[in-house]
Amino acid sequence: QVQLVESGGGSVQAGGSLRLSCVLSGYNYRSICMGWFRQVPGKEREGVAAIYTGSGSTRYIDAVKGRFTISQDETKKRLYLEMTSLKPEDTAMYYCAVSHMSSGSSLDPTAYNYWGQGAQVTVSS
């Protein structure tokens, strides 16, 4: 059974930092596409950052470039999202996900097959 468990969410003031962590189990970690997504009530889920674990190549949405960093610990099957210079508009439920894609990475939520339960990030002004 595939499981993804996020941790590390919380509340911070604008300008602060948080690190999200996601542990993957029940799935072959080698050379897969994983991503971080966020969603606020009433809006569609959007891709924030993605990584192809085989090559380490990454992609980000423009709104977080230079502030967020996606990384991995292959031995621990962990995915991270380091978030700095947080803004109130970053407030959302953040999800990690894994895709059956055999190469590359994607920020399209429809490309992903398994999802974690989410971690709330709240940034106050």
Side-chain angles (χ1 to χ4, degrees):
Q1 182 180 357
V2 180
Q3 280 193 316
L4 298 112
V5 180
E6 301 99 336
S7 60
S11 298
V12 295
Q13 290 193 324
S17 301
L18 283 172
R19 188 175 80 158
L20 300 178
S21 177
C22 173
V23 178
L24 173 65
S25 61
Y27 199 90
N28 186 354
Y29 190 85
R30 294 179 63 86
S31 299
I32 59 173
C33 173
M34 294 190 72
W36 287 100
F37 298 79
R38 63 187 181 186
Q39 188 171 24
V40 296
K43 291 191 175 181
E44 292 187 351
R45 190 169 296 187
E46 68 170 351
V48 174
I51 187 169
Y52 181 64
T53 63
S55 64
S57 64
T58 59
R59 63 178 68 204
Y60 300 88
I61 55 170
D62 288 345
V64 306
K65 284 181 180 177
R67 300 189 298 120
F68 290 12
T69 303
I70 187 172
S71 63
Q72 59 169 329
D73 183 332
E74 198 167 348
T75 59
K76 296 181 180 179
K77 296 184 179 181
R78 278 184 182 268
L79 184 71
Y80 300 100
L81 185 67
E82 188 78 38
M83 303 181 290
T84 64
S85 301
L86 282 161
K87 304 175 181 180
E89 52 263 43
D90 294 318
T91 295
M93 185 71 79
Y94 283 72
Y95 300 88
C96 69
V98 63
S99 169
H100 286 324
M101 289 173 58
S102 59
S103 64
S105 61
S106 173
L107 294 174
D108 180 0
T110 64
Y112 287 76
N113 303 94
Y114 302 100
W115 296 83
Q117 82 288 351
Q120 179 67 39
V121 172
T122 303
V123 185
S124 58
S125 57

